[in-house]
Amino acid sequence: MTNTPDMTDAPGGAGWGRWLARRLPVVGGLAAGGVLLLGVPAFAHVSVQPGTAPKGGYATVNFKVPNERDNASTVKLEVSLPTDHPLASVMPQPVPGWQIEVTKAKLAKPVEMHGEKINEAPSKITWTADGKGVEPGQFQQFPVSVGQLPDNADQLVFKALQTYDNKEVVRWIEPAKPGGPEPENPAPVLTLTAADGAGAPAKSGTQDAQDTKDAKDTAADAGAVSGSDTTARVLAVIGIAVGIAGVAFGVLAGRRRSA
């Protein structure tokens, strides 16, 4: 039989006090468990930020690397660049405390960039810490300017290897399947969007004529306003002059009467 406080006893009375005393340890345990669950850090992985860029242009992206270990620091990041859509221009931004190496590879099929054929392109970027690296509870961003982005693809996949100072290597190389759950170690993905300005409606000849007419009307209105403003200023000056003359005449007349 469950012991419950005497409902005839007022809250705060002896019956309620004994009932709460017996159940406080249980309530406290549940509360502590809730705090522990809320305190578990969210799962994070190596990613590309921002996650989108326009097709056919250049973009600066950041490879964001969080440290997911409590007892080790990230000391190396290796990012493999896509080979199905090679990037002819890859320029990492210097990051204090890190050495950067860009590895190039010969292309199976030359690509054309700015009217020139390119037979090799960057295939991998390696960042190696020459200090403490990314310590527990921290993250680091590695900026890279990349281009020219392809205009015939919807995404670029960058497989990454994250190395800790305890020799552990986490391989962020698993591709995500459309409609499927996120892999345990997903590869960073840059989604390519329609080029800037694409899809903007073109103006018709009628619209251009209307725009020209509106511009002329605006100019005419501005001229009319300017002319009205000038007339108002002239009248104001004349009024001030007349006022001054009237005051002077009144002062002179008063003196004559006094004399």
Side-chain angles (χ1 to χ4, degrees):
M1 181 175 179
T2 303
N3 294 325
T4 58
D6 185 0
M7 294 297 103
T8 61
D9 193 4
W16 281 91
R18 287 192 296 271
W19 183 78
L20 287 175
R22 287 193 295 269
R23 282 155 178 76
L24 278 177
V26 177
V27 175
L30 292 174
V35 171
L36 288 175
L37 289 174
L38 292 175
V40 175
F43 180 78
H45 49 263
V46 175
S47 60
V48 178
Q49 296 185 352
T52 61
K55 296 180 180 180
Y58 290 78
T60 297
V61 298
N62 293 285
F63 291 97
K64 183 179 180 180
V65 181
N67 190 327
E68 297 181 311
R69 302 294 179 263
D70 295 329
N71 56 355
S73 296
T74 297
V75 292
K76 181 186 286 189
L77 175 68
E78 299 171 80
V79 174
S80 295
L81 305 174
T83 56
D84 52 345
H85 296 286
L87 301 170
S89 175
V90 173
M91 294 187 294
Q93 179 177 316
V95 179
W98 294 81
Q99 297 179 2
I100 307 173
E101 180 183 1
V102 179
T103 304
K104 292 186 176 182
K106 191 174 181 62
L107 298 176
K109 182 180 179 180
V111 297
E112 186 171 330
M113 184 176 181
H114 302 306
E116 297 182 5
K117 286 188 176 181
I118 300 175
N119 296 313
E120 67 174 12
S123 59
K124 184 172 69 172
I125 311 174
T126 303
W127 290 268
T128 305
D130 55 13
K132 296 181 179 180
V134 186
E135 298 183 272
Q138 300 179 356
F139 75 92
Q140 178 66 55
Q141 296 193 70
F142 300 91
V144 184
S145 174
V146 295
Q148 186 173 5
L149 299 176
D151 54 11
N152 58 347
D154 295 325
Q155 67 177 22
L156 294 178
V157 178
F158 300 90
K159 296 182 178 181
L161 302 181
Q162 181 180 8
T163 302
Y164 290 88
D165 57 8
N166 60 0
K167 308 303 180 184
E168 178 188 5
V169 178
V170 182
R171 302 168 63 83
W172 304 98
I173 62 173
E174 299 178 33
K177 297 180 180 179
E182 184 180 65
E184 183 178 356
N185 294 316
V189 175
L190 177 65
T191 301
L192 302 179
T193 60
D196 292 342
K203 291 184 179 181
S204 63
T206 303
Q207 182 64 42
D208 287 338
Q210 182 63 42
D211 290 346
T212 302
K213 181 178 181 300
D214 292 342
K216 289 181 178 179
D217 291 344
T218 300
D221 292 342
V225 170
S226 177
S228 299
D229 184 61
T230 301
T231 302
R233 290 182 180 180
V234 171
L235 292 175
V237 171
I238 293 174
I240 292 172
V242 171
I244 292 174
V247 172
F249 178 78
V251 171
L252 182 59
R255 288 181 177 178
R256 287 181 177 178
R257 285 196 297 270
S258 300

